[in-house]
């Protein structure tokens, strides 16, 4: 296979929230906006009498989110433990099909692939252990759910201050 143009992915995201103390908990309403652009390069399969050539394509996604997060810090003998849960409604403002054009044996054709539904939900949970003023460990899970689509991510983070 031989590619003839570059591939690029760009992402810009802004989230805002304001924590409100409720007893020992903190409730944080959140709103966000995310833009994602994926440019895929063209390519040609080789080694066949009828090589397939696929044209370069670009796809944009603009997604909004509206939700809330609840955190409840607890002091323990090993440090401050902060469990939190969050939920958000997601909406894709573009939600169009992904078009691909290609040529095989001199015949050109195009295909459209539908994207997941415009509306979805994001849920997540996290647990932070602030062992000292300079050391913390965090585990986090995020899931995104739409009709006929789900996405799961996890992260473990260790932070230290010098």
């Amino acid at each position: 296979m031989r590619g003839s143009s570059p591939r690029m992915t760009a992402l810009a995201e802004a989230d805002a929230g304001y924590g409100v103390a409720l007893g020992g908990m903190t409730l944080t309403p959140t709103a966000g906006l995310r833009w994602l652009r994926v440019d895929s390069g063209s390519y040609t399969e080789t080694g066949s009498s009828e090589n397939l050539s696929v044209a370069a394509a670009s796809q944009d996604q603009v997604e909004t989110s509206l939700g809330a997060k609840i955190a409840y810090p607890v002091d323990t003998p090993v440090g401050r433990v902060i469990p939190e849960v969050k939920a958000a409604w997601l909406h894709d403002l573009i939600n169009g099909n992904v078009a691909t054009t290609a040529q095989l044996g001199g015949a050109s054709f195009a295909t459209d692939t539908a994207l997941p539904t415009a509306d979805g939900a994001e849920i997540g949970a996290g647990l932070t252990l602030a062992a000292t003023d300079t050391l913390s460990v965090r585990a986090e899970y995020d899931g995104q759910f739409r009709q006929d689509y789900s996405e799961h991510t996890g992260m473990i983070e260790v932070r230290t201050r010098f």
Side-chain angles (χ1 to χ4, degrees), residues 20-26 72:
V20 177
L22 297 173
M25 295 187 298
T26 302
Y72 187 76

Side-chain angles (χ1 to χ4, degrees), residues 6-7 19 23 32 47 53-54 62 80 91 108 117 121-124 143 147 160:
R7 295 167 186 84
S53 294
V54 178
V62 177
R80 179 168 266 207
H91 181 72
S108 294
T117 58
E122 182 176 41
I123 62 166
Q147 184 177 341
T160 186

